């Protein structure tokens, strides 16, 4: 499936909850290292502190993270995902 088709119909609505999943490259189990997991968690906390989202829940798995967020104001979902993946 093309990337454009994956994004078709997606919207970013304030005050709505979204479930995001971030996988590690090649599904490597990097989050079994506590320090690596903390780096990612601190990034989630940083975005929340800036007021872009409200974090409702998160779960760290060995090769991915689940994040339940509520968007604030004019925050766009793709911008949040891009910010997290850039770190």
């Amino acid at each position: 499936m093309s990337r454009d088709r994956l994004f078709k119909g997606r919207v970013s609505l304030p005050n709505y909850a979204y479930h995001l999943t971030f996988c590690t490259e090649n599904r490597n189990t990097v989050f079994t290292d506590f320090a690596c997991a903390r780096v990612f968690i601190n990034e989630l906390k940083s975005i929340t502190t800036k007021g872009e989202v409200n974090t409702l829940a998160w779960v760290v798995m060995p090769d991915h993270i689940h994040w339940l967020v509520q968007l604030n104001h004019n925050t766009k979902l793709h911008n949040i995902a891009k910010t997290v993946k850039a770190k």
Side-chain angles (χ1 to χ4, degrees), residues 6-23:
L6 286 173
F7 291 122
K8 187 176 182 174
R10 287 189 184 178
V11 295
S12 298
L13 300 172
N15 302 315
Y16 278 68
Y18 293 89
H19 172 237
L20 305 174
T21 302
F22 298 98
C23 297

Side-chain angles (χ1 to χ4, degrees), residues 37-86:
R38 287 303 312 163
V39 168
F40 201 96
I41 291 165
N42 286 337
E43 182 58 30
L44 301 183
K45 287 182 177 182
S46 173
I47 292 170
T48 301
T49 301
K50 291 176 187 173
E52 297 178 52
V53 299
N54 293 323
T55 293
L56 304 174
W58 49 262
V59 177
V60 179
M61 304 301 285
D63 63 351
H64 65 284
I65 291 184
H66 296 277
W67 188 26
L68 186 62
V69 297
Q70 181 181 31
L71 298 181
N72 293 331
H73 314 296
N74 293 322
T75 303
K76 299 295 182 199
L77 193 58
H78 69 274
N79 289 338
I80 295 299
K82 182 191 263 185
T83 299
V84 170
K85 288 181 176 185

